[in-house]
């Protein structure tokens, strides 16, 4: 079968928040792109991922016209609770920083971005296979793939954006020895559930407990998202619904009034905990963004927000490169992004280290954690540091 060959300024691999938002930002700048995605549209619009948007992320989505449903259905939160010693200790995010977070599922952001791209006749190809990069050592990279109908195709590009996640094909396409990888694996994982029940608390609860960490979150007024610290090799089959609810009740217990609302489980899965950063985030005209370049443990709620920050920088760099023949922003792309990435990596590591159980018999570690927690909730300076990192540092 004959290969279909097309020409596009920017080829984007991956239709997650990074790839879709990059395509939208480029469209606003008058630059055409094509987004390639291995999964179906239904899959990417339904997969449950992050749900906390930083203030700068919300501001950007409003600025570029993607926030109509977000403003209508998103849930602004002006504080969060650190729960330990069987008590809640509220961090007043807005009072301390003047900013807030908004709870709005990543899949909802993806739906909004897909709708916006299709409304503008943007080209998103779902269910592609065999994606491969070619000629990335030069100034005219190519992407070959097989489309959803089984026809071989090729895109000739000025630039390729690798927004295809940690397990994607773009980062491994870069020649050996070019990238430096920094990584850390944590000795635990999260068992996450999505329950059809109203949230049990108005704000997020981060719980430090002798049985392990727990997190109470939500996705809407009718859907609750909850997490339990478990072993990294935990078998999901060992966690029937009754055990999940019993363990959540034990770890979220507090002196005073608190009722854990139970309901049918719509989703259940185990997520490994790791930190990962690759430097640089660019090889010639191949640029990495989002999870393709870095992973953070979800404790700090930074993953999707870092992807948004990356493509904001990348869209400006590509606009300068392709419309003005300026190379300075493209050349500084990696360094600019990595400053924010490493700040988020540290904050996520700090939150993770403060809240999780690291060993059944590590009494020294536990007392250090309790000391840090007590200091954080009683010191205005410490609480402000947590708050300003959590709501999101300004982009510029």
């Amino acid at each position: 079968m004959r290969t279909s060959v097309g020409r596009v300024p920017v080829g984007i691999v991956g239709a997650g928040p990074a790839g879709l938002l990059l395509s939208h930002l480029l469209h606003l700048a008058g630059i055409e792109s094509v987004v390639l995605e291995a999964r179906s549209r239904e899959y990417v619009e339904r997969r449950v991922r992050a749900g906390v948007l930083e203030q700068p992320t919300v501001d950007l989505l409003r600025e570029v016209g993607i926030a109509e449903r977000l403003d209508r259905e998103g849930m602004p939160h002006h504080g969060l609770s650190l729960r330990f010693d069987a008590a809640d200790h509220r961090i007043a995010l807005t009072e301390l920083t003047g900013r807030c977070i908004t709870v709005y599922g990543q899949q909802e952001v993806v739906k909004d971005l897909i709708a916006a791209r299709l409304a503008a006749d943007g080209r998103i190809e779902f269910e592609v296979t065999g994606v491969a990069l070619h000629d990335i050592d030069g100034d005219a990279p190519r992407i070959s793939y097989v489309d959803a109908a089984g026809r071989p195709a090729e895109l000739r590009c000025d630039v390729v954006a690798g927004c295809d996640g940690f397990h994607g094909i773009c980062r491994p396409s870069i020649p050996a020895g070019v990238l430096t990888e920094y990584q850390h694996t944590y000795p635990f994982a999260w068992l996450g559930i999505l329950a059809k029940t109203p949230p049990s608390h108005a704000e997020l609860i981060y719980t430090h407990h002798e049985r392990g960490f727990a997190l109470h979150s939500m996705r809407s007024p009718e859907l609750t998202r909850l997490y339990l610290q478990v072993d990294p090799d935990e078998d999901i089959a060992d966690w029937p619904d009754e055990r999940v609810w019993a363990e959540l009740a034990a770890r979220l217990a507090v002196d005073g009034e608190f009722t854990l609302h139970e309901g049918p489980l719509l989703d259940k899965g185990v997520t490994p905990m790791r930190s990962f950063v690759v430097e640089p985030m660019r090889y010639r005209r191949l640029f990495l963004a989002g999870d393709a370049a870095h992973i953070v443990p979800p404790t700090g709620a930074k993953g999707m927000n870092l992807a948004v920050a990356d493509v904001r920088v990348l869209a400006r760099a590509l606009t300068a490169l392709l419309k003005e023949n300026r190379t300075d922003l493209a050349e500084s792309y990696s360094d600019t992004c990595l400053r924010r990435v490493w700040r988020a990596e540290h904050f996520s590591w700090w939150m993770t280290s403060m809240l999780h159980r690291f060993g059944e018999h590590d009494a020294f570690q536990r007392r250090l954690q309790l000391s840090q927690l007590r200091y954080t909730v009683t010191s205005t300076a410490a609480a402000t540091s947590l708050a300003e990192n959590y709501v999101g540092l300004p982009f510029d």
Side-chain angles (χ1 to χ4, degrees):
M1 186 178 295
R2 187 174 181 179
T3 299
S4 170
V5 178
R7 178 81 175 82
V8 66
V10 182
I12 301 172
V13 185
L20 292 167
L21 180 57
L22 176 60
S23 180
H24 181 70
L25 295 173
L26 292 173
H27 164 70
L28 295 179
I31 298 172
E32 184 184 359
S33 65
V34 174
V35 180
L36 302 177
E37 170 58 49
R39 303 284 191 168
S40 68
R41 177 180 178 182
E42 180 183 24
Y43 180 89
V44 300
E45 289 187 339
R46 287 190 176 184
R47 58 185 167 189
V48 178
R49 291 291 188 269
V52 173
L53 305 186
E54 296 176 348
Q55 185 71 63
T57 296
V58 173
D59 291 343
L60 177 61
L61 294 175
R62 286 175 178 154
E63 178 186 332
V64 299
I66 306 292
E68 179 182 354
R69 197 162 64 93
L70 164 63
D71 285 334
R72 186 172 67 249
E73 300 177 14
M75 296 181 289
H77 282 205
H78 301 283
L80 61 82
S81 287
L82 297 180
R83 183 172 288 188
F84 60 95
D85 291 339
D88 273 332
H89 308 267
R90 186 172 187 267
I91 304 295
L93 300 174
T94 304
E95 181 180 328
L96 291 167
T97 68
R99 304 189 297 280
C100 70
I101 59 166
T102 300
V103 174
Y104 189 68
Q106 175 174 314
Q107 71 272 24
E108 305 305 324
V109 175
V110 166
K111 289 176 189 175
D112 296 341
L113 286 165
I114 289 175
R117 294 304 302 121
L118 296 181
D121 294 326
R123 184 175 162 192
I124 308 172
E125 293 204 31
F126 293 102
E127 299 182 76
V128 304
T129 58
V131 178
L133 305 187
H134 310 274
D135 299 334
I136 62 171
D137 289 317
D139 293 332
R142 297 179 293 116
I143 310 174
S144 64
Y145 63 99
V146 177
D147 69 17
R151 297 168 299 201
E154 179 181 285
L155 289 176
R156 296 179 177 177
C157 313
D158 295 313
V159 168
V160 172
C163 303
D164 52 343
F166 182 79
H167 298 290
I169 60 96
C170 289
R171 188 179 69 251
S173 298
I174 295 174
V178 171
L179 303 178
T180 301
E181 296 184 356
Y182 303 89
Q183 52 190 317
H184 176 70
T185 302
Y186 297 86
F188 40 74
W190 277 11
L191 188 157
I193 66 165
L194 184 68
K196 190 175 182 180
T197 185
S200 306
H201 193 268
E203 296 175 337
L204 277 71
I205 306 171
Y206 285 81
T207 300
H208 173 84
H209 193 275
E210 61 183 7
R211 299 173 68 95
F213 169 79
L215 171 61
H216 169 279
S217 183
M218 65 283 293
R219 288 296 177 267
S220 74
E222 296 81 31
L223 294 175
T224 299
R225 186 75 164 148
L226 299 131
Y227 298 92
L228 288 167
Q229 175 186 348
V230 296
D231 291 336
D233 57 353
E234 201 74 35
D235 186 348
I236 195 70
D238 293 334
W239 285 88
D241 297 2
E242 297 78 9
R243 184 186 178 191
V244 170
W245 287 117
E247 192 64 25
L248 283 165
R251 297 190 195 184
L252 290 169
V254 64
D255 294 337
E257 295 185 5
F258 176 76
T259 301
L260 178 63
H261 299 156
E262 298 185 14
L265 300 191
L266 306 177
D267 184 75
K268 186 191 299 181
V270 175
T271 302
M273 303 282 282
R274 61 176 176 263
S275 299
F276 173 85
V277 181
V278 66
E279 295 185 4
M281 292 170 55
R282 172 201 177 203
Y283 176 68
R284 300 185 68 86
R285 292 202 169 200
L286 168 59
F287 297 80
L288 304 177
D291 287 359
H294 42 73
I295 298 287
V296 290
T299 325
K302 294 292 168 234
M304 177 171 60
N305 294 291
L306 278 181
V308 169
D310 286 350
V311 298
R312 175 183 176 274
V313 175
L314 183 53
R316 294 182 175 187
L318 297 186
T319 300
L321 178 66
L322 299 176
K323 300 199 79 173
E324 305 170 31
N325 202 30
R326 283 176 48 202
T327 62
D328 55 322
L329 296 183
E331 290 168 355
S332 64
Y333 164 72
S334 183
D335 289 342
T336 300
C337 289
L338 284 169
R339 286 195 292 271
R340 190 179 191 91
V341 167
W342 280 113
R343 174 87 293 276
E345 290 284 353
H346 181 270
F347 176 69
S348 300
W349 166 85
W350 176 76
M351 287 279 285
T352 302
S353 301
M354 180 173 63
L355 290 162
H356 289 72
R357 186 184 68 175
F358 278 81
E360 190 172 341
H361 305 294
D362 195 345
F364 181 78
Q365 173 83 9
R366 176 161 167 76
R367 278 157 178 76
L368 289 178
Q369 291 172 314
L370 289 170
S371 174
Q372 180 64 62
L373 284 162
R374 290 164 183 158
Y375 173 64
T376 299
V377 301
T378 56
S379 163
T380 300
T384 301
S385 178
L386 187 157
E388 70 176 2
N389 279 274
Y390 198 85
V391 302
L393 299 172
F395 281 138
D396 296 313

